[in-house]
Amino acid sequence: MTDPHPIPYGDRAAVHEQRLDGFGTVRVLPLDPAADAPLVHGWVSEERAAFWGMNGLTVDQVTATYAHMATLDTHHAFLVVKDGEAVALFQTYDPAADRVSECYDAEPGDIGVHLLLAPAGAEGARPGWTAALSGALVTYALLGLDRTRIVVDPDVANAKAIARFLKQGFTAGPAVVLPEVDLPDVYLPEKKAQLAFLPREVAFPG
């Protein structure tokens, strides 16, 4: 018998699932380029996501971008779902295989991450919400993937994001200019970023 009330995304396998008391269940799903592109396109097309570098792309171009990423061993994209609702786009990558490696000395065990939150719903911003969600993603990146340090590169002008990372335990590194990437399958404009680092022993002391 077909479930008359199926759980959204419930038929998709998660690489990480975590129940957080007082928050809900966070599931990290490998991004499905075709199925998820229309939703993700709406997020990356907003002005607040300009630093993501995908403003102006069509849905088909977003699909192609993530279809290409799915062929790589070094870069991975995920849809983050909380209690059945898609709430973020999450990407992980090997810094040694990324343009960020031109701006700092990547170390074995490093993992780079990008996080784009979905637009706030009708209830607006919720205190502690982003920190709780980020905590689950940090757990996946450091413990689930057995990495020793997270590297982030938010827009140098995004003081709110930088402050959030520092509050979470990240240590600020240098402000850098990430070089332009112009390849047949991907284009990334030059951008100014603030590097920050979170060692596993800081995130999970003892």
Side-chain angles (χ1 to χ4, degrees):
M1 181 176 178
T2 302
D3 186 348
H5 302 291
I7 299 173
Y9 303 103
D11 60 341
R12 289 170 58 173
V15 296
H16 180 73
E17 184 169 330
Q18 187 172 349
R19 172 73 184 178
L20 302 175
D21 291 340
F23 183 73
T25 299
V26 176
R27 303 179 72 233
V28 182
L29 314 177
L31 191 78
D32 182 325
D36 299 331
L39 174 66
V40 170
H41 174 262
W43 298 350
V44 300
S45 296
E46 294 188 342
E47 184 58 35
R48 69 183 181 90
F51 194 67
W52 204 258
M54 301 180 78
N55 279 177
L57 296 188
T58 65
V59 173
D60 287 345
Q61 288 172 319
V62 171
T63 301
T65 296
Y66 285 107
H68 169 68
M69 186 178 294
T71 68
L72 305 177
D73 293 328
T74 56
H75 293 64
H76 304 279
F78 305 93
L79 190 69
V80 183
V81 175
K82 174 189 173 294
D83 296 334
E85 177 187 2
V87 295
L89 173 63
F90 182 59
Q91 294 179 194
T92 63
Y93 62 92
D94 179 356
D98 190 84
R99 62 179 175 169
V100 74
S101 65
E102 298 184 34
C103 303
Y104 91 105
D105 293 328
E107 298 179 0
D110 280 357
I111 184 170
V113 306
H114 297 305
L115 175 64
L116 178 63
L117 298 175
E123 68 277 16
R126 291 152 287 181
W129 192 94
T130 301
L133 184 72
S134 297
L137 300 177
V138 164
T139 298
Y140 170 61
L142 290 176
L143 301 185
L145 297 177
D146 192 23
R147 299 302 182 97
T148 56
R149 186 172 66 160
I150 292 176
V151 182
V152 294
D153 57 358
D155 183 349
V156 73
N158 191 341
K160 183 177 180 180
I162 294 170
R164 185 170 66 239
F165 283 124
L166 297 181
K167 185 177 181 180
Q168 197 173 353
F170 282 77
T171 298
V176 300
V177 176
L178 300 178
E180 177 187 56
V181 175
D182 190 2
L183 300 172
D185 294 310
V186 62
Y187 173 75
L188 296 171
E190 177 183 281
K191 62 182 185 180
K192 297 178 181 178
Q194 171 65 60
L195 298 186
F197 306 90
L198 179 64
R200 184 163 61 188
E201 62 268 22
V202 172
F204 301 101

